[in-house]
Amino acid sequence: MAGSTIYDIAKKAGVSIATVSRVVNNSDGIADKTREKVLKVADELGYYPQAYAQGLARKKKNIIMVVVPVLSNYFFMEVLAGIQDEISNYNYDLNIFNVQSNGKDNMFPQVKNIIKRQWADGYLFISTHLRDTELEQLQDYDMPITLIDESYPGMDSVSVDNEEGIEKAMNYFLENGLTRIAIISAMKTSKPGRKRIEGYEKALNEAGVTVEEDLIVTGDSMYRDGFSEQNGYEAMIKLLELPNPPQACFCTSDIQAVGAMKAMEEKGMEIPIIGYDDITISNYIGLSTIRQPMYDMGTLATKKLMKRMKNREAEPEHKVFAPELILRSSTEKEIKEKA
Amino acid sequence: MAGSTIYDIAKKAGVSIATVSRVVNNSDGIADKTREKVLKVADELGYYPQAYAQGLARKKKNIIMVVVPVLSNYFFMEVLAGIQDEISNYNYDLNIFNVQSNGKDNMFPQVKNIIKRQWADGYLFISTHLRDTELEQLQDYDMPITLIDESYPGMDSVSVDNEEGIEKAMNYFLENGLTRIAIISAMKTSKPGRKRIEGYEKALNEAGVTVEEDLIVTGDSMYRDGFSEQNGYEAMIKLLELPNPPQACFCTSDIQAVGAMKAMEEKGMEIPIIGYDDITISNYIGLSTIRQPMYDMGTLATKKLMKRMKNREAEPEHKVFAPELILRSSTEKEIKEKA
DNA sequence: GTAAAAAATGTAAGGGCTTACATTTCTAAT
DNA sequence: ATTAGAAATGTAAGCCCTTACATTTTTTAC
């Protein structure tokens, strides 16, 4: 039973392999009796077409592959939920391929090989943060790719205006008279990391506030690229131990903010804090945050990819979601006191 | 460039396809000049073997596939992190296949087809909760499968003694003089759901406490099979609106406990609560919980699978981790007051 | 009952790779 | 220079399917 092939079925059912193939694929033009007979044998022998043989013979694999560097992270999880729900509307299976980032700069070769190997009919890249020159190379392979949480002119993309998000958070603090604002960032050096810090500096500059390097911090723990409670915790400890601690804090992910909140509690010093993402938990722990529509990003990207697979010629589309400031208790008390 | 094959390389490099194959696969017995020449052409043409053709020609796919019903859930995420880290020690790629559960009983056919299609060299099943009769059928296909968070005599498995976990939580409450203990469960009807409730009832019975049906609740929101903050929130509201609310509460997942804690806060009624899992966030919000070593389960299961792939004959091994009661602030205040 | 049309089935050529075996080329010993 | 043996390369079959095209069987109309 282990490895019955189309030949086994054909032989046992007394038909040709073409007929078996037709029955299994539900092609029409098959006599009912034949169909039944074949189906019966196929069931007895536990037959179902081998994915690899089928993929080779057809051009199509009926697989959408999600390519992602860090699987275990809340942002990814939410986006994935959207993808998953949307894809269930189509006749495609979902495969997730995890590329190791190792902090190093070796992701591109892996990604390139995935494309070359032709695993799937279409790909969703989540936060791979490849360079434009690299994405350009991938285009040569003429595979439908939709980017999530990043963008590049030549490919469909779904992202969020990060700068706007940061600005909203910063302005909220500034409007409430808080000027010594810290930023807790993961991976200061990465491309998106730098972008966020730039946004932070820009907002301060526009408000005529001098940027203090001391207030730009990150934790030391780099597990999950720094997107962890621990990292936020460490960062906040650093901030609170400063001779002159900040009046408010912006965090580049909710998960870090959770750690930061614990640090504040332990130190007995509470400053208003705003996170980034709006993971479901944030609503339950009263964390103010910049909401990214992660789930919607997943569904929309999937839709775009499906569309692209049908029409390869259309101009690439870029959806940029506007982030939303969600205020909860983590920004309340203290600011009111100041007012 | 899009679809260069081994033939293109062979032609352009002036060698046979066998030689190209050897070069690409790093087989030895190839002259250095030839290797260089072929490699150069392969690079120019952006060649890399097609996964499907290779998988068909070899018996091996070099793929481990994780089969899981609900992707976006914290338990899964942690287990996956372990799998991911462990697998990076071997020359295997990781694929995740998501089977739709739809609450209905239709998962088995999907799982069966995955196995039949021979996607991978080995499989990790996480919380699929198939029946023994179903798993027995899968054995016929003679594929290495390791179960996580469930067990079956005929396959390797890695799980946690759920009953013991519940007992520990219940005993903690009971020893502290609390007897009216509620349980918030996801999916009362599922196999693991029922098991947990049984454990709960058993613990009460042994302590000579009558089970009150009112105290066994679940939320109404069934998103993610009930493993959500919202579900826990709803359940706790129900409990607190009882004429005679419970003195303590056990929750079958931390994520539900997060929702339950919010409900308590809103209602201004705080009772000691213990969750289940010990997701990383729990430590940061002071949630007492029963720790499942999720990460370790992932690594160990992966190791077992690799071992099994080498030796198909050995007796199946079953690792049952002992859950651990982790006490944090969510059980502190109130119990101390009572004492 | 016959012939033409329609339906059902079969044949065989790929799809892109690996690999056992055959062949050629090179090396080194005489 | 010759040749045995080693090293390098090539040939071709096979992995399991799909599908265009050819062939056979059944149906329909007269």
Side-chain angles (χ1 to χ4, degrees):
Chain A
M1 173 178 240
S4 51
T5 73
I6 210 170
Y7 292 92
D8 303 325
I9 311 302
K11 197 166 155 196
K12 187 158 180 195
V15 298
S16 75
I17 57 163
T19 301
V20 177
S21 175
R22 289 187 187 106
V23 169
V24 173
N25 290 300
N26 253 300
S27 323
D28 43 28
I30 302 246
D32 286 351
K33 305 172 235 172
T34 313
R35 161 165 284 122
E36 267 175 46
K37 185 174 54 182
V38 171
L39 245 27
K40 183 156 164 283
V41 175
D43 189 54
E44 279 170 28
L45 266 55
Y47 174 78
Y48 204 80
Q50 285 190 30
Y52 286 65
Q54 207 167 43
L56 181 59
R58 316 211 238 251
K59 301 294 182 186
K60 242 188 145 189
K61 277 102 185 167
N62 279 75
I63 291 283
I64 295 300
M65 183 166 268
V66 174
V67 177
V68 63
V70 185
L71 280 173
S72 38
N73 119 349
Y74 297 77
F75 174 81
F76 165 70
M77 224 172 73
E78 291 291 332
V79 173
L80 190 61
I83 294 173
Q84 210 179 307
D85 286 357
E86 178 64 25
I87 220 164
S88 66
N89 300 326
Y90 309 87
N91 181 28
Y92 278 84
D93 284 325
L94 188 62
N95 255 216
I96 299 159
F97 208 109
N98 171 231
V99 288
Q100 314 285 135
S101 71
N102 299 336
K104 278 171 234 148
D105 196 23
N106 58 193
M107 242 167 59
F108 178 59
Q110 291 178 68
V111 173
K112 202 165 155 191
N113 279 348
I114 291 175
I115 298 295
K116 285 184 189 169
R117 302 209 72 186
Q118 294 176 227
W119 276 114
D121 305 311
Y123 298 81
L124 293 167
F125 283 14
I126 307 183
S127 314
T128 56
H129 300 303
L130 297 172
R131 293 182 228 296
D132 281 8
T133 50
E134 295 172 333
L135 290 170
E136 196 187 334
Q137 278 189 57
L138 293 184
Q139 282 195 293
D140 290 343
Y141 294 96
D142 195 31
M143 266 290 166
I145 298 174
T146 297
L147 304 176
I148 302 178
D149 189 36
E150 56 191 322
S151 79
Y152 163 71
M155 295 176 180
D156 293 315
S157 70
V158 173
S159 59
V160 163
D161 187 335
N162 276 316
E163 209 166 321
E164 188 185 339
I166 292 167
E167 225 168 87
K168 279 187 175 165
M170 298 297 287
N171 285 344
Y172 176 78
F173 287 142
L174 290 166
E175 281 162 15
N176 281 279
L178 304 170
T179 53
R180 303 202 63 253
I181 308 168
I183 179 170
I184 295 181
S185 145
M187 306 186 297
K188 271 184 181 180
T189 52
S190 76
K191 177 174 148 191
R194 273 249 54 91
K195 275 234 141 189
R196 286 181 192 186
I197 292 174
E198 274 168 28
Y200 163 84
E201 291 176 343
K202 187 173 156 228
L204 285 184
N205 285 336
E206 279 172 6
V209 177
T210 0
V211 173
E212 296 178 49
E213 280 302 323
D214 279 357
L215 299 185
I216 303 175
V217 298
T218 185
D220 298 321
S221 150
M222 273 303 140
Y223 182 57
R224 290 178 188 172
D225 292 345
F227 288 106
S228 67
E229 295 93 342
Q230 179 63 20
N231 185 287
Y233 176 86
E234 292 164 356
M236 182 54 89
I237 293 284
K238 284 188 196 170
L239 286 172
L240 297 181
E241 287 180 347
L242 246 34
N244 186 10
Q247 297 171 303
C249 178
F250 172 69
C251 238
T252 56
S253 75
D254 282 359
I255 203 70
Q256 288 171 286
V258 169
M261 286 166 89
K262 169 140 197 234
M264 295 195 290
E265 207 189 306
E266 277 185 22
K267 287 272 177 190
M269 299 167 74
E270 310 250 342
I271 60 174
I273 186 167
I274 297 180
Y276 200 99
D277 279 346
D278 197 26
I279 61 181
T280 53
I281 249 179
S282 301
N283 179 38
Y284 293 86
I285 59 171
L287 174 63
S288 294
T289 190
I290 301 292
R291 172 179 297 164
Q292 302 203 71
M294 299 174 278
Y295 182 93
D296 294 344
M297 290 169 75
T299 55
L300 184 63
T302 309
K303 279 184 188 149
K304 278 200 189 306
L305 181 62
M306 292 314 229
K307 208 168 135 196
R308 168 71 43 194
M309 293 197 297
K310 292 214 170 109
N311 177 5
R312 306 288 273 273
E313 304 312 325
E315 277 298 296
E317 292 174 9
H318 306 279
K319 169 71 182 182
V320 180
F321 281 99
E324 191 185 347
L325 176 63
I326 308 289
L327 294 174
R328 301 202 179 98
S329 55
S330 77
T331 41
E332 257 165 36
K333 284 190 305 268
E334 310 299 320
I335 287 184
K336 274 193 189 131
E337 281 166 21
K338 299 268 171 191
Chain B
M1 174 181 241
S4 52
T5 73
I6 210 171
Y7 292 93
D8 303 325
I9 312 302
K11 197 167 156 195
K12 188 158 180 195
V15 298
S16 74
I17 58 163
T19 300
V20 177
S21 175
R22 289 189 186 106
V23 169
V24 173
N25 290 298
N26 254 301
S27 321
D28 43 28
I30 301 245
D32 285 351
K33 306 173 230 173
T34 314
R35 160 165 285 121
E36 267 174 47
K37 185 174 54 181
V38 171
L39 245 27
K40 182 155 165 283
V41 175
D43 189 56
E44 278 170 30
L45 266 55
Y47 173 78
Y48 204 79
Q50 285 191 30
Y52 285 65
Q54 206 167 44
L56 182 60
R58 313 211 241 248
K59 299 295 182 182
K60 242 190 145 188
K61 278 100 185 166
N62 278 75
I63 290 282
I64 296 300
M65 182 166 268
V66 174
V67 177
V68 63
V70 185
L71 280 173
S72 38
N73 126 341
Y74 297 77
F75 174 80
F76 165 69
M77 226 173 72
E78 291 291 333
V79 173
L80 191 60
I83 295 173
Q84 213 178 304
D85 286 356
E86 178 63 26
I87 220 164
S88 67
N89 300 326
Y90 308 87
N91 182 29
Y92 278 85
D93 284 325
L94 188 62
N95 254 219
I96 299 159
F97 208 108
N98 172 231
V99 288
Q100 315 284 133
S101 72
N102 299 337
K104 278 171 232 149
D105 196 22
N106 57 195
M107 240 167 59
F108 179 58
Q110 291 178 69
V111 173
K112 203 166 152 188
N113 279 349
I114 291 175
I115 298 295
K116 286 185 190 168
R117 303 209 72 187
Q118 295 175 227
W119 276 113
D121 306 311
Y123 299 81
L124 293 167
F125 284 15
I126 306 183
S127 314
T128 55
H129 300 304
L130 297 173
R131 293 183 229 296
D132 281 7
T133 50
E134 295 171 333
L135 290 170
E136 196 188 332
Q137 279 189 58
L138 294 183
Q139 282 194 293
D140 290 344
Y141 293 96
D142 195 31
M143 266 291 168
I145 299 175
T146 297
L147 305 175
I148 301 178
D149 190 35
E150 57 191 320
S151 78
Y152 163 70
M155 295 174 179
D156 293 314
S157 71
V158 173
S159 60
V160 162
D161 187 334
N162 276 315
E163 210 167 317
E164 188 184 339
I166 293 168
E167 225 168 88
K168 279 187 174 165
M170 298 297 287
N171 286 344
Y172 177 78
F173 287 142
L174 290 165
E175 280 162 15
N176 281 278
L178 305 169
T179 53
R180 303 201 64 253
I181 308 167
I183 179 170
I184 295 181
S185 146
M187 307 187 297
K188 272 185 184 180
T189 53
S190 77
K191 175 174 147 189
R194 273 250 52 93
K195 275 234 138 188
R196 286 180 192 188
I197 292 174
E198 274 168 29
Y200 162 84
E201 290 175 342
K202 187 174 156 226
L204 286 184
N205 285 336
E206 280 173 4
V209 177
T210 0
V211 173
E212 297 177 48
E213 280 302 322
D214 280 359
L215 299 185
I216 303 176
V217 299
T218 184
D220 298 322
S221 150
M222 273 301 138
Y223 182 58
R224 291 180 187 170
D225 291 346
F227 288 106
S228 67
E229 295 92 341
Q230 179 64 18
N231 185 288
Y233 176 85
E234 292 165 358
M236 182 54 89
I237 292 284
K238 284 187 197 172
L239 285 173
L240 296 180
E241 287 180 347
L242 245 34
N244 186 10
Q247 298 171 303
C249 179
F250 172 70
C251 240
T252 56
S253 74
D254 282 358
I255 204 71
Q256 288 171 288
V258 170
M261 286 166 89
K262 172 144 195 231
M264 295 194 291
E265 205 189 308
E266 276 184 25
K267 286 275 178 187
M269 299 167 74
E270 310 248 343
I271 59 173
I273 186 168
I274 297 180
Y276 200 98
D277 279 347
D278 198 26
I279 62 180
T280 53
I281 251 181
S282 301
N283 179 38
Y284 292 86
I285 60 172
L287 174 62
S288 295
T289 191
I290 301 292
R291 172 179 297 164
Q292 303 202 72
M294 299 174 280
Y295 182 93
D296 294 343
M297 290 169 75
T299 54
L300 184 63
T302 309
K303 279 184 188 150
K304 277 198 190 308
L305 181 61
M306 294 316 249
K307 208 168 134 195
R308 168 70 45 194
M309 294 197 298
K310 292 217 170 110
N311 176 6
R312 306 288 272 274
E313 304 312 325
E315 277 298 297
E317 291 175 7
H318 307 280
K319 169 71 182 181
V320 180
F321 281 98
E324 192 184 346
L325 175 63
I326 308 289
L327 294 174
R328 300 201 179 99
S329 54
S330 77
T331 42
E332 258 166 34
K333 281 191 305 269
E334 310 300 319
I335 287 185
K336 275 195 187 131
E337 281 165 21
K338 298 268 170 191

